[in-house]
Amino acid sequence: MNELIEIGKRARQASGELSHLNTEQKNRILQRVAELLEHSAPAILKANEADLKGAGEMGLKGAIVERLTLSGDRIKGIAEGLRQIVQLEDPIGEIMEMKRRPNGLLIGKKRVPLGVVGVIYESRPNVTADVAGLCIKTGNVCVLRGGKEAFRSNNAIVGIFHRAISECGLDPHMVQLVQDTSRESAVGMMKLNKYLDILIPRGGAGLIQAVVQNSTVPVIETGVGNCHIYVDEAADLEKAVAIVYNAKTQRPGVCNAAESLLVHEKVAARVLPSIGESLKGAGVEIRGDSQTCALIPGSVPATEEDWSTEYLDLIISSKVVGSVEEAVDHINRYGSMHSESIITENYSHAQYFLERVDAAAVYVNASTRFTDGFEFGYGAEIGISTQKLHARGPMGLKELTTSKYIIYGSGQTR
């Protein structure tokens, strides 16, 4: 806990400097980090290699290892994401509204940084760079607590941020990584409300719920994705097969991958065999209701638990439904309010789905895999919020800000 208190104190001190940097100064840091990331790729990959070896010794596999793995292309992608953040408009200082009251007071609302942002996350070293980059652009100090499986990779990336910030003559404590990866340090961050303004968990359902239930710091809930694809009776079936395949197999270990498939009974016999053949060719296990199992040989009978499970693996649940209304009811009952998609050529059905499904991102004729800060044009994301207060969906720059009222008077008294 002593380490966290010292980190918190340094974060508060650095916040005073970072929150008042101009756009050019912040962009200069991010440009330099992008350059150093690409230049230092061999060292980062060596650190990541050691993490992957350690993950194997810990018995980790599947989605966790996939998310942990870096490559030359992934490092280039991280650097490109930072360069995209540089190109985005700086939201800090934006005057969102201004009005004059009858008494002559001029009352405005200005966008300002949150302050100190804490993030607890697992496996994904790219999160280290994404969060730090977005926080610097928005004038927020970040305190990062990654998992032990990515400790060396995270340290290598944070070291690059420290070098870039120092080269710009500024306090490197604008970005800090908690060195203690024990459970105690995560619990300690949840109680660090004296220093943290917001806490964001990124990881599995267990981590997110632990933070939501135990934190005294305000929390933005992110990430768990039981995402559905509904193939409507008016679907273009070729589109349906391609979209389901992409949403499930392109990267199965992430929160915007499809975990559940719903198919209208009028097209089930025509499209489920093709979807099944496509998915099984990619090694996907299909857990279906009785109609799915009859139409896709080799399917496993689904249990009630399957309808609400985020697999993060090459597994998908599948159910035949009688209407778009039944599909929407199923999604609102079992979904996680992340990303949902309807495949249809019927405008009324599409609009019904868009209006009635309760989720952060709702699609018509597209893969759920697009729910991503990079794909939405934010350069990166700090997480995908599945709650309704303050932020919802991919969190970019504006979601890392709050507001301040500014009032101009000329001697008014009340």
Side-chain angles (χ1 to χ4, degrees):
M1 192 64 183
N2 287 339
E3 180 201 1
L4 289 175
I5 291 172
E6 286 306 309
I7 285 174
K9 289 178 179 178
R10 292 194 296 262
R12 278 289 171 211
Q13 186 171 350
S15 179
E17 182 176 45
L18 176 54
S19 63
H20 292 101
L21 295 184
N22 62 40
T23 303
E24 184 182 347
Q25 289 172 303
K26 293 184 288 189
N27 284 344
R28 192 180 305 129
I29 295 170
L30 298 179
Q31 289 278 25
R32 184 59 178 146
V33 172
E35 292 168 5
L36 290 173
L37 279 170
E38 291 177 335
H39 180 74
S40 305
I44 297 170
L45 291 174
K46 185 175 180 181
N48 187 245
E49 216 174 281
D51 281 335
L52 288 169
K53 182 180 178 184
E57 292 168 356
M58 285 187 270
L60 301 178
K61 55 185 178 180
I64 291 178
V65 173
E66 194 276 334
R67 286 181 286 185
L68 172 60
T69 304
L70 290 175
S71 65
D73 285 342
R74 284 193 179 178
I75 291 172
K76 284 181 181 177
I78 293 168
E80 177 57 27
L82 292 174
R83 292 190 177 105
Q84 283 198 17
I85 294 171
V86 168
Q87 298 303 316
L88 295 174
E89 185 177 350
D90 187 347
I92 301 303
E94 174 192 351
I95 303 300
M96 295 181 281
E97 59 184 64
M98 185 72 76
K99 61 184 178 181
R100 190 174 295 278
R101 298 291 297 147
N103 62 6
L105 287 178
L106 188 61
I107 301 176
K109 203 172 185 181
K110 180 180 180 180
R111 200 179 290 280
V112 297
L114 288 169
V116 180
V117 176
V119 183
I120 301 176
Y121 57 109
E122 301 168 338
S123 306
R124 298 169 67 170
N126 67 292
V127 170
T128 304
D130 290 350
V131 170
L134 288 167
C135 282
I136 286 173
K137 181 77 177 207
T138 50
N140 292 295
V141 168
C142 62
V143 175
L144 308 169
R145 191 276 186 192
K148 62 181 178 180
E149 69 284 348
F151 181 71
R152 299 172 188 85
S153 305
N154 290 338
N155 262 305
I157 293 169
V158 168
I160 287 169
F161 273 88
H162 285 175
R163 178 178 165 187
I165 295 167
S166 297
E167 286 180 4
C168 294
L170 299 166
D171 185 351
H173 295 117
M174 294 172 181
V175 177
Q176 296 186 72
L177 180 71
V178 177
Q179 298 297 300
D180 180 0
T181 59
S182 68
R183 184 177 180 277
E184 288 70 27
S185 71
V187 173
M189 275 190 74
M190 298 177 207
K191 307 301 181 185
L192 213 62
N193 50 290
K194 184 176 179 180
Y195 301 106
L196 299 182
D197 292 292
I198 200 83
L199 186 60
I200 303 170
R202 286 193 63 171
L207 167 66
I208 292 167
Q209 286 309 305
V211 174
V212 169
Q213 292 168 13
N214 296 295
S215 180
T216 58
V217 183
V219 175
I220 296 178
E221 188 173 351
T222 69
V224 175
N226 180 23
C227 305
H228 297 73
I229 305 286
Y230 166 56
V231 181
D232 186 47
E233 61 180 309
D236 178 319
L237 301 186
E238 285 188 19
K239 282 183 190 174
V241 174
I243 289 170
V244 172
Y245 181 84
N246 174 266
K248 179 68 259 182
T249 69
Q250 196 260 344
R251 200 173 173 195
V254 292
C255 62
N256 58 17
E259 305 289 24
S260 296
L261 170 65
L262 302 173
V263 180
H264 195 285
E265 60 188 8
K266 289 184 178 177
V267 295
R270 287 189 287 145
V271 75
L272 270 176
S274 298
I275 289 174
E277 184 180 354
S278 172
L279 292 178
K280 287 196 293 183
V284 177
E285 176 186 315
I286 299 167
R287 299 182 183 179
D289 66 351
S290 58
Q291 289 169 278
T292 298
C293 290
L295 291 166
I296 305 177
S299 298
V300 177
T303 65
E304 177 68 18
E305 184 181 1
D306 282 307
W307 306 131
S308 55
T309 298
E310 181 190 37
Y311 299 111
L312 299 174
D313 202 350
L314 289 171
I315 305 170
I316 193 168
S317 63
S318 175
K319 183 178 183 180
V320 176
V321 296
S323 65
V324 64
E325 291 83 4
E326 185 182 346
V328 168
D329 288 345
H330 180 96
I331 290 168
N332 286 341
R333 178 179 178 184
Y334 295 105
S336 58
M337 297 192 291
H338 193 296
S339 301
E340 312 293 356
S341 181
I342 181 173
I343 315 304
T344 189
E345 301 301 311
N346 183 298
Y347 177 80
S348 296
H349 290 184
Q351 291 306 114
Y352 181 89
F353 193 88
L354 289 171
E355 291 294 326
R356 299 299 183 96
V357 167
D358 187 9
V362 187
Y363 294 83
V364 177
N365 293 327
S367 170
T368 56
R369 284 285 291 117
F370 287 103
T371 306
D372 175 84
F374 190 91
E375 293 291 339
F376 278 24
Y378 302 154
E381 69 189 21
I382 200 162
I384 297 172
S385 172
T386 53
Q387 65 184 40
K388 297 183 181 181
L389 291 178
H390 175 65
R392 199 176 194 198
M395 294 177 60
L397 297 177
K398 288 188 176 180
E399 287 72 29
L400 285 173
T401 67
T402 184
S403 61
K404 174 193 290 186
Y405 280 99
I406 51 175
I407 303 96
Y408 295 92
S410 55
Q412 287 88 342
T413 59
R414 182 176 178 181

